[in-house]
Amino acid sequence: MYIRKAINKINRYLHKPSFSSNDITIGENVHFGKNIVFNCRKVKIGDGCIFMDNVKIDSTEFRIGDYGTIYQNCFFPGPGKLSIGHNFWLGNNSIIDSQGDTIIGNNVGIGAHSQLWGHMKYGDIMYGCQYNSVKHLIIGNDVWLVGHNLVSPVTIEDRSMALLGSLITKNMFQDKTYGGSPAKDLTDKIGSQFTITSVEERQVFFNKKINQFCSQKKIRYADFFNTIILDSDLVITGKTNFNLLKRTYTKEGTSIEMEFIRYLLPDVKFIPELE
């Protein structure tokens, strides 16, 4: 036990990220890999986030909510503001630009080797180059860009999805599925990302995940429910209330709560109640 604690302490020291500013807020249980660099004036990181090796962030301001996961070798060019919601997932070797200010909602997944750009600059303006622009990039909630996607500065609405290898040059609309180069609306052929479940169906699935979690952690189902309540309007201090209708929870910050929420990802996603 003592050896393990010593190793963990050494790893935390060796994996200490580099910050260029003192305006930094980091939540609980945040894990950093090697060679993490924040060239930002302001950084705010929520609880339970994971940054794999070799992540570089050059945004002027960087904010990410709880339980985000950023895989290795990702790059965030700046300057500009980058705001990311809860339960974010970014695959390895991806780029997210913030020069036009980028906003990403909750429960967004972006697959490996994707590039999201908000600017187009290079040509000699003095000499007459007409292509020089910086625009907003906005991504809504529950969006899934499957992987190897190239994205221009567009608006991507809630629950839309882009298939593998899509080139996105136009806005993506709510509950639509896109694919191709350039990406086209394929919803009529393959359907939308979601068929919204009933609360009863969510209850069955959620209970299954609880049973699996309890089995893995070797704790009793009844003991686990001493720490949570479901769909109750009564807020009890020290207990986490998961609302299956709204997909929200009352954040208590207990160790069992944080373990459980991370365990649920990516199959089940909850947002803190006061968001």
Side-chain angles (χ1 to χ4, degrees), residues 94-134:
S94 292
I95 297 173
I96 298 180
D97 179 31
S98 63
Q99 284 202 28
D101 293 342
T102 296
I103 300 174
I104 299 175
N106 298 312
N107 308 327
V108 172
I110 301 173
H113 296 272
S114 293
Q115 297 185 23
L116 286 66
W117 294 100
H119 79 276
M120 180 171 62
K121 294 182 178 181
Y122 177 73
D124 191 327
I125 303 302
M126 182 187 70
Y127 195 58
C129 179
Q130 303 179 71
Y131 296 95
N132 186 287
S133 65
V134 176

Side-chain angles (χ1 to χ4, degrees), residues 181-200:
S181 179
K184 297 180 179 179
D185 185 352
L186 303 177
T187 313
D188 289 342
K189 293 182 178 179
I190 63 176
S192 59
Q193 182 188 170
F194 287 93
T195 300
I196 304 300
T197 55
S198 67
V199 173
E200 291 75 20

